[in-house]
Each structure stands twice: as structure tokens, then as C-alpha cells.
Amino acid sequence: MAISPSALGKVLDVFERNFRDRGELGASISIWWDGSELISNGHGWCEREQLRPWTTETLAPVYSATKVPAAATLLLALESRGLAPETLVREVWPGFPVAGAKFSQLLSHQCGLPVLDQKANIFEHAEVVAAIEAQVPAWDLGNGHGYHPRTYGALTDESVRRLTGHALGSYWRAVIADPLGLDFWIGLPESRWPRVARLYPGKAGKDDLADAFYKQLTTSGTFTRRAFSSPRGLHAIHEMNDSRAWSAGLPALGGVGTASAIAKFYQAAIGSIASPLSPAVRHALATPQSSGEDRVLLRPTVFTCGAQQDPLDATGQKQRRIYGPSFSAFGHPGAGGSHGLGDPQTGISFAYIMNQMDLSVMPGAKCLEMVDALFSEI
């Protein structure tokens, strides 16, 4: 199903309006369809001092938009050993604290491990793994789900290390990113550091202050606040402007890349281009595993083996359209507003990165109006 030129024009109109009316500083968008990139646009500045123009080659940290590439990497690692999402985690990681948990449940936030009671530094992988192994799950397996914003990194990374002998970021590079020529990194080499834009924190609006999630996030001791603080480190935006964060290879929140690379990855994830992602891996990324009220995000969410989909209401209609109108579309946002999605039904993929962040846990108007415009004539 082709995208009409007028729909692409509407997307570009929103992109330009974001700079005019919504305080956009620097941003890129990329739209692919059926194996070809239709739009690659970058505009603005990499910093407020206007020292470096923002181009389509600009790299930006994308926080949790890293999670789907990380999940795809783990799924490929499992496949390389003749294993599958239904394999028990303890077959690979004997010290995993949740008996009976499958990788499909680990990847879809069902294992009850978003909060760590034992202190651990996010940069110290062994510390985080030890804290995970010592953790009593916050809920019983099969009793709901809750987003694992930060522990997801060590959960996936340790699994890949045990399966392959390599850190997830290195394995990502070798088996997915290099074969596809993706300028997206989970562990950014020093040679690319000069291309990274500077991030700027958002300000709370009325909607943010009224949101139950935001209230819990900003209240000391709440489960949501603890989830977004486990493991410790990299809590302030200025810390993400440090090369240590870019180079650490953190699979939950440390990805750095271009919009074109993210959108091309989703072309591979939906099968629109030849790639190392097998039909079984693509099926796992696109098939719901958990749904309902999220214990951490405090709203309905749906997770596949690594990706999000839009939740449905009691009548079967979408409650949100972060991923467009298609029920099969999937993707993942990142803190501040970055976003990536793929739609197997239409063959469309989309990515947006920026450096002036919003506060909403889900993509805001700057992004969602572009998604709406993209699918407006389909």
C-alpha cells in the first residue's frame, strides 16, 4: 500500500511547524516504504549555541527506542543456539530469579524485576546482574506485567553474553547493524562522538503534572520512581551528554543513531528488506505477549517480545495511535519523544529523533501529528 505524495507533504508540514511553533531545536525524520527511503530530513541545530547544524547524519541518544534493536539481538542469539522465545531463561542463565520464566516473558516485561533492592551502578554490569539474581520479584509470574525501564538492559545483555560470549552491543553490531549498514550503535565508538547532538530537558506542562504516572515518577519511594531509578546512574539529562553514556553499550537506554538507521531497522523487522532477521524473529517482534494495566507506566500497555503495540479498548478499537491505525504495527518510543515504528500491513516504517526533549512518557504532539499525517490517506 503506497504512501501518497500529499501524505508525505503533510508530514513535512508538521515537521516544519514543530520548529516554528513548538520549540524544536534539532530533529530528523525518516520514512521508508517497501524497501526504499522516501523521506530523510534533518534540520536545526545540535546545540542552543548553534555551533553545529543538524543534518540527516546527526546522531542522537534515543533512550528506550533502543529496546527493540536489543530484543531483536537477543532473539537472534537464541536462534543461533537452536533456542526460541519459549525457552526457559534458566536454561541459559541458571541464576535467574524467576523460576519458570520464558524469554518471551522476560522480553515482554512480565518477570516482576523492574525494581532492584540491592544497589548497583548502571555502568557495572556484574553489579547489576548480581542485584537481579538477588531480587525477589515484585509480582508472581502470570500476574500481569510492568515496564522494566532500566533493568531490561542487563536482562537482555546478560542473556546474550551467556548465549554468544559477546556483549549485546557487540553482537548487535556483528549480526544486524553491520550487515544492514545501520548507523545505530549500542556502544558508540569514539570516532563517532563528534556527530552526537546535545540533549536538552523538557519542561512540565499542565498535562504532565496531572498525569498519574508523572505524579508517581516525581514522588520519592513510589514503585514507579524506584523502577526508573534501578539500577542507579544516568538519571539527569546532562549525564546523557557524556561520551561515557554513549559508549557504555546499555541496551535499555543507551542507543545512539540516526533516524534513517532506526527506520531502516524497522524495514528489516517487518520484512520489507532482506536482513538477518528470520521470519521467526520478525513474528516474535510483532506478536503480543502481555497486555493490560501496566504496573509501572500506570496505563494500559501491550508488549511483544521487545516492542510495544497500541492497546485496545473493550470494543476492540485502539486506545492510542502511537503506531498508526494498523493493529499489526509495532515499535518503541524513547524518553523525551524519539520514536520508531514498523507496520507489516502497509510496509511503512518511520523514525523521529530530536534533542529538545518533552517530559511525556509517550511520544508527544511533535511526533504524533507526523504519525497521524503519515497514515492519513491509508
Side-chain angles (χ1 to χ4, degrees):
M1 188 177 296
I3 310 173
S4 72
S6 61
L8 294 176
K10 291 176 184 177
V11 175
L12 291 174
D13 286 344
V14 177
F15 183 70
E16 293 166 5
R17 191 165 70 249
N18 287 340
F19 287 90
R20 233 179 18 249
D21 302 334
R22 294 187 171 126
E24 194 80 278
L25 178 59
S28 296
I29 55 169
S30 175
I31 296 169
W32 289 65
W33 173 69
D34 198 27
S36 299
E37 189 171 30
L38 304 183
I39 287 180
S40 177
N41 203 338
H43 184 65
W45 298 94
C46 293
E47 57 279 301
R48 287 176 179 165
E49 295 82 4
Q50 300 188 357
L51 303 175
R52 295 173 296 159
W54 184 297
T55 74
T56 56
E57 300 302 306
T58 295
L59 301 171
V62 298
Y63 284 91
S64 287
T66 314
K67 286 186 169 74
V68 183
T73 305
L74 173 51
L75 289 166
L76 272 184
L78 286 166
E79 193 171 73
S80 75
R81 295 283 299 274
L83 305 175
E86 297 311 297
T87 299
L88 294 176
V89 179
R90 282 189 175 176
E91 289 188 26
V92 173
W93 181 355
F96 189 69
V98 187
K102 302 171 184 178
F103 278 100
S104 59
Q105 293 168 313
L106 180 153
L107 285 166
S108 56
H109 305 270
Q110 297 184 63
C111 289
L113 300 170
V115 169
L116 299 179
D117 295 323
Q118 185 172 300
K119 289 184 178 180
N121 188 309
I122 197 167
F123 290 109
E124 301 295 334
H125 178 74
E127 270 189 21
V128 181
V129 170
I132 288 171
E133 291 183 342
Q135 185 63 40
V136 176
W139 61 84
D140 293 334
L141 191 66
N143 190 25
H145 74 287
Y147 184 52
H148 292 45
R150 297 163 70 83
T151 57
Y152 199 84
L155 292 171
T156 53
D157 197 358
E158 181 66 9
S159 300
V160 170
R161 292 182 190 215
R162 288 174 177 269
L163 287 161
T164 70
H166 300 282
L168 187 148
S170 298
Y171 198 66
W172 153 260
R173 197 78 240 152
V175 301
I176 300 177
D178 280 347
L180 287 174
L182 300 182
D183 202 0
F184 185 87
W185 305 81
I186 306 174
L188 187 69
E190 186 174 358
S191 61
R192 270 81 174 178
W193 292 357
R195 294 170 52 201
V196 182
R198 183 173 184 82
L199 298 180
Y200 294 90
K203 296 181 180 179
K206 290 182 179 179
D207 291 343
D208 297 314
L209 295 173
D211 185 77
F213 164 80
Y214 189 75
K215 289 179 180 178
Q216 292 294 301
L217 182 64
T218 55
T219 301
S220 179
T222 64
F223 189 71
T224 295
R225 174 68 173 266
R226 293 173 64 209
F228 277 83
S229 304
S230 298
R232 62 185 177 178
L234 290 182
H235 300 302
I237 301 302
H238 71 82
E239 295 178 274
M240 288 298 291
N241 290 322
D242 191 304
S243 58
R244 187 186 187 199
W246 313 332
S247 61
L250 302 172
L253 52 80
V256 183
T258 65
S260 289
I262 297 170
K264 186 178 182 182
F265 164 75
Y266 278 102
Q267 284 286 286
I270 62 176
S272 289
I273 57 174
S275 83
L277 302 184
S278 68
V281 169
R282 298 198 304 271
H283 177 78
L285 291 173
T287 303
Q289 299 288 336
S290 61
S291 62
E293 191 70 13
D294 192 298
R295 293 169 178 266
V296 172
L297 296 179
L298 306 178
R299 66 196 68 207
T301 56
V302 176
F303 288 100
T304 71
C305 286
Q308 284 189 18
Q309 292 182 318
D310 290 320
L312 307 181
D313 62 22
T315 68
Q317 299 302 306
K318 282 197 172 194
Q319 292 179 268
R320 299 187 290 267
R321 286 175 47 137
I322 292 174
Y323 304 104
S326 170
F327 291 95
S328 62
F330 60 92
H332 212 293
S338 54
H339 194 34
L341 68 87
D343 180 6
Q345 182 177 329
T346 61
I348 294 170
S349 63
F350 166 89
Y352 163 70
I353 64 173
M354 76 298 126
N355 60 345
Q356 177 53 66
M357 300 173 69
D358 295 328
L359 277 183
S360 173
V361 68
M362 295 295 186
K366 288 191 297 183
C367 178
L368 293 183
E369 285 195 13
M370 286 190 285
V371 173
D372 288 343
L374 177 60
F375 292 100
S376 61
E377 299 178 24
I378 292 176

